[in-house]
Amino acid sequence: MSRAQQAYSKAFSLYHALAGASRGQGLPSTSGSLAAYATAVPSMRATGNVPPGHLNSDLSPTACHIGLGRRRDLTLRQDLCLWKGEKKLSLAELFHGKKIILVGFPGGPVCTEQHIPGYVQMADTLAKKGVDKVVCITQDDPVLLEKLVQEKPQLRHPMVELLADRNGGFIRLMGLELGDAAASGPKCQRFAGIVEGGILLKVKVEQQPADLKQTDVKSMVALWDDVYGHLQQK
């Protein structure tokens, strides 16, 4: 067994043990196990020869928790919808048959001045790489969000859609809700992922809503290349 295979075996054995504990299978979930897993990950990456699809993955606890159940078709949730102004959109309408960069944003200056404008500025580059659309979602009133888009030209591009998750149902489905629904402040963590045909393939989550270190457009271009680069080279 190569060094890379040994490192992966060690890291994923620890990961699955922790995952089993979270599902109530009676396996210990201890700070020691978490520390061991965290130690194994850098060594796993350092060995090189990372299998396709695992390059540049977010191995934070939040992203890994989502990953446990991510390989499901989001479009089957017919009870959920998103809003563009007063227009109601089903998840099937948004995701079926498309390759999407899905962006979640909590709201505020980082979102409107840096995060989303980054995707607008690189929309043409993303299209050339095979991205069908960038779907940006936040929990907010649809009319207020539509007004914000009209007021800020840096948020507008035919390929970039800003949609409202009016009651937070989609954000909860993703497991990325933030704070009390009745309280003031951001309701959604900052995240970005790749969805193909309704299946969430990859996701990255910022540690703090104000951070923009893993979900900016350049990071997502790198992640896209990790997933689809072998296809682009043919």
Side-chain angles (χ1 to χ4, degrees):
M1 182 181 290
S2 68
R3 285 198 308 131
Q5 290 172 324
Q6 291 173 354
Y8 263 93
S9 177
K10 178 181 178 182
F12 281 104
S13 293
L14 287 165
Y15 170 73
H16 286 301
L18 293 171
S22 71
R23 293 193 297 267
Q25 295 179 0
L27 296 174
S29 179
T30 65
S31 59
S33 296
L34 287 169
Y37 176 64
T39 301
V41 167
S43 115
M44 175 176 68
R45 293 177 187 256
T47 57
N49 300 319
V50 180
H54 290 284
L55 283 167
N56 208 17
S57 292
D58 183 352
L59 296 177
S60 67
T62 303
C64 288
H65 173 71
I66 297 167
L68 293 176
R70 71 184 176 186
R71 294 270 177 181
R72 58 188 174 191
D73 191 344
L74 300 176
T75 66
L76 296 178
R77 287 298 301 268
Q78 298 179 20
D79 57 317
L80 296 179
C81 65
L82 296 166
W83 296 80
K84 185 173 184 178
E86 297 182 353
K87 183 180 180 182
K88 182 179 179 180
L89 300 169
S90 71
L91 301 187
E93 287 179 88
L94 288 169
F95 299 130
H96 185 69
K98 300 183 183 74
K99 292 179 180 178
I100 302 286
I101 290 182
L102 177 66
V103 179
F105 63 99
V110 174
C111 307
T112 59
E113 297 173 11
Q114 300 178 56
H115 197 189
I116 298 168
Y119 287 94
V120 170
Q121 292 164 12
M122 290 193 65
D124 293 339
T125 298
L126 295 172
K128 290 177 182 178
K129 289 181 172 291
V131 180
D132 292 312
K133 192 170 283 291
V134 179
V135 176
C136 305
I137 296 173
T138 191
Q139 184 174 345
D140 201 354
D141 180 282
V143 175
L144 293 179
L145 182 60
E146 185 73 3
K147 183 179 178 182
L148 178 69
V149 173
Q150 296 304 319
E151 291 175 348
K152 294 186 178 293
Q154 69 266 33
L155 304 180
R156 299 200 300 267
H157 190 282
M159 191 177 156
V160 180
E161 276 193 307
L162 273 69
L163 304 177
D165 183 12
R166 188 165 65 180
N167 64 4
F170 183 81
I171 299 299
R172 289 193 296 274
L173 172 65
M174 294 285 291
L176 291 168
E177 67 273 20
L178 187 65
D180 189 329
S184 60
K187 302 292 189 297
C188 169
Q189 296 189 54
R190 189 182 306 281
F191 66 91
I194 296 172
V195 178
E196 180 176 349
I199 308 298
L200 180 64
L201 300 179
K202 291 280 189 180
V203 65
K204 287 180 172 286
V205 185
E206 300 288 358
Q207 292 189 5
Q208 300 294 332
D211 289 348
L212 189 56
K213 301 174 182 178
Q214 302 187 72
T215 63
D216 60 290
V217 66
K218 290 184 179 179
S219 296
M220 292 308 296
V221 166
L223 188 62
W224 188 274
D225 287 344
D226 290 339
V227 175
Y228 296 113
H230 64 291
L231 298 176
Q232 297 169 14
Q233 293 171 5
K234 291 183 179 180

